[in-house]
Amino acid sequence: MKKICIVVGARPNFVKVAPLIRAIRESGEAAYDLVYAGRDDDPTLEPSLFDDLQMPRPDVFLGVVSQSLNEITAQVMGAFDRYLDSRAADVVIVVDDLASTMAAAITAKKRGVRLAHLVAGTRSFDISMPKEVNRLVIDALSDYLFTAGVKSTGVATREQADADNTYMVGNILMDSLRHNLPRFRRPDIDVEEGRYIVLTLNRRALLSDEGSLRQMLWAMGEAAAGVPIIAPLRGGALDVVGRLLPSSSLSSLHPSPFTLHQPLPYLEFGWLTAHALGVITDSGNVAEEATFNGIPCVTLNSYTEHQETVTVGTNVLVGGDAGKLREAVADMVADRWKQSALPDRWDGRTAERIVQILLQ
């Protein structure tokens, strides 16, 4: 029986590996360990997350906690090396592009273990971004590159010495959405279906430039024209936005369209975004889910890892331009959004394809 080790480095990764675990179990031909780079008391891993995703908690916690990306890399390499001393693996699967992901990838390859990269081939083409460095390193080392779309497949194939290592399997986030759509729960928030906008913020660069963020909040609040903007935000984002909203310019929006909320469990957040008029976000995952749901989406970034959300799906990029944001939100509210479709292989069967490939 093939032994598979799945390494995750942050909360969003669990949404991507839950379908993979189901597919491994259903195959009956492989066993797995789920390894988390952080600690078992990580506050972002609320118990409801694993209940909502119908998956077990990690088998192993490496216990790494640091704000320094280089320290995270070093600590994960040491901890994961010790893990592999005690528990052999035929293949290690790493997810996305975190420092912890890169560290596990390097450690696996140094030990001669086959490496698979889930969501390979994504690029910003900005080498000053730490995640871009991580992506380049992981893809260069991987024996299996599992890509979500045509563009990322082209990138991965072009950069690999052996094109046979690249497999366009589709977007595994859609597996989780298809599986959980009937299980979504309406949150305890007073909203009318299809008559509110969801706002999520997480990117450090956006939150640290408070002058620019204030202009963007004003633009979306003004363009919303009375449509409520529901913002379930985490930690620092909740603090920053909560501090900016009472400022002199934003306080002139009467009544304020913004409702700040604590982070929601996965199934409740899924319901909220699936029934919204539109979504404003800086998260690639949220934009991908909006495309799956057919919900207009504005991304507060100048690029996206999955270009299909723009060329085929519902996503529009506005970067940090408050003027473009105002126009996009006005179009959203006026129902002037572009036509969209579901990208190729975003069909909820990605995990099945991955497991079939690994077991060949």
Side-chain angles (χ1 to χ4, degrees):
M1 182 172 284
K2 182 159 286 190
K3 297 178 182 177
I4 300 173
C5 172
I6 305 170
V7 182
V8 298
R11 184 184 188 277
N13 296 160
F14 288 102
V15 184
K16 297 182 179 180
V17 303
L20 196 56
I21 289 172
R22 283 195 299 274
I24 291 171
R25 286 174 163 175
E26 290 169 2
S27 76
E29 300 179 47
Y32 74 91
D33 269 356
L34 179 59
V35 177
Y36 181 53
R39 292 168 36 169
D40 61 357
D41 60 352
D42 185 333
T44 68
L45 305 186
E46 68 275 12
S48 67
L49 174 66
F50 301 101
D51 292 339
D52 286 353
L53 293 173
Q54 296 182 315
M55 67 177 292
R57 286 177 63 82
D59 302 287
V60 176
F61 293 85
L62 299 182
V64 173
V65 178
S66 177
Q67 294 298 312
S68 165
L69 297 179
N70 289 335
E71 284 184 8
I72 290 171
T73 302
Q75 291 178 28
V76 170
M77 288 182 70
F80 190 55
D81 196 45
R82 291 189 291 273
Y83 161 82
L84 290 175
D85 280 337
S86 60
R87 302 171 88 154
D90 295 310
V91 61
V92 169
I93 301 176
V94 296
V95 186
D96 287 339
D97 50 18
L98 302 174
S100 54
T101 306
M102 180 183 69
I106 293 171
T107 304
K109 290 304 293 183
K110 283 189 173 183
R111 296 183 66 112
V113 180
R114 293 183 72 78
L115 179 67
H117 187 195
L118 182 55
V119 198
T122 60
R123 296 288 184 275
S124 68
F125 301 102
D126 180 359
I127 200 64
S128 67
M129 293 178 58
K131 285 188 176 182
E132 187 74 355
V133 176
N134 299 342
R135 295 164 185 153
L136 289 165
V137 172
I138 299 165
D139 279 358
L141 295 176
S142 293
D143 301 288
Y144 305 93
L145 291 98
F146 296 127
T147 66
V150 173
K151 183 178 180 181
S152 54
T153 300
V155 169
T157 302
R158 185 167 62 249
E159 294 179 359
Q160 284 288 303
D162 185 355
D164 291 339
N165 290 356
T166 303
Y167 305 87
M168 192 175 98
V169 293
N171 192 328
I172 201 164
L173 271 181
M174 307 308 113
D175 292 36
S176 280
L177 278 182
R178 281 197 184 277
H179 179 76
N180 289 301
L181 272 173
R183 303 176 58 243
F184 282 164
R185 297 190 305 264
R186 181 171 184 144
D188 187 19
I189 300 176
D190 184 18
V191 290
E192 178 185 349
E193 290 189 34
R195 289 302 302 165
Y196 61 90
I197 296 168
V198 177
L199 169 65
T200 79
L201 296 171
N202 184 58
R203 195 158 48 93
R204 285 185 186 178
L206 183 59
L207 293 168
S208 62
D209 188 348
E210 294 191 6
S212 175
L213 180 57
R214 183 181 288 107
Q215 291 179 1
M216 297 174 80
L217 289 169
W218 167 263
M220 67 181 79
E222 184 181 41
V227 173
I229 299 175
I230 311 300
L233 304 176
R234 292 188 175 275
L238 188 64
D239 293 340
V240 171
V241 176
R243 186 171 65 253
L244 292 180
L245 287 181
S247 64
S248 57
S249 58
L250 287 166
S251 61
S252 64
L253 293 170
H254 289 300
S256 174
F258 295 95
T259 298
L260 300 187
H261 202 282
Q262 292 293 326
L264 294 170
Y266 172 76
L267 294 180
E268 293 185 10
F269 182 75
W271 186 96
L272 194 70
T273 54
H275 293 85
L277 169 68
V279 173
I280 303 171
T281 186
D282 58 3
S283 164
N285 288 353
V286 173
E288 292 160 40
E289 292 174 356
T291 278
F292 180 84
N293 291 322
I295 302 296
C297 178
V298 177
T299 294
L300 307 176
N301 212 337
S302 56
Y303 77 96
T304 174
E305 287 88 350
H306 295 293
Q307 193 64 30
E308 290 83 1
T309 62
V310 176
T311 56
V312 179
T314 63
N315 192 18
V316 170
L317 306 178
V318 299
D321 189 320
K324 289 182 179 179
L325 174 59
R326 179 182 286 103
E327 292 176 7
V329 174
D331 287 343
M332 182 185 290
V333 171
D335 194 23
R336 293 192 296 260
W337 212 249
K338 62 180 179 175
Q339 294 294 313
S340 64
L342 201 59
D344 188 26
R345 297 200 181 185
W346 289 30
D347 57 3
R349 300 189 61 191
T350 294
E352 295 174 33
R353 297 186 187 103
I354 291 172
V355 172
Q356 288 171 2
I357 291 165
L358 293 177
L359 293 177
Q360 286 174 359

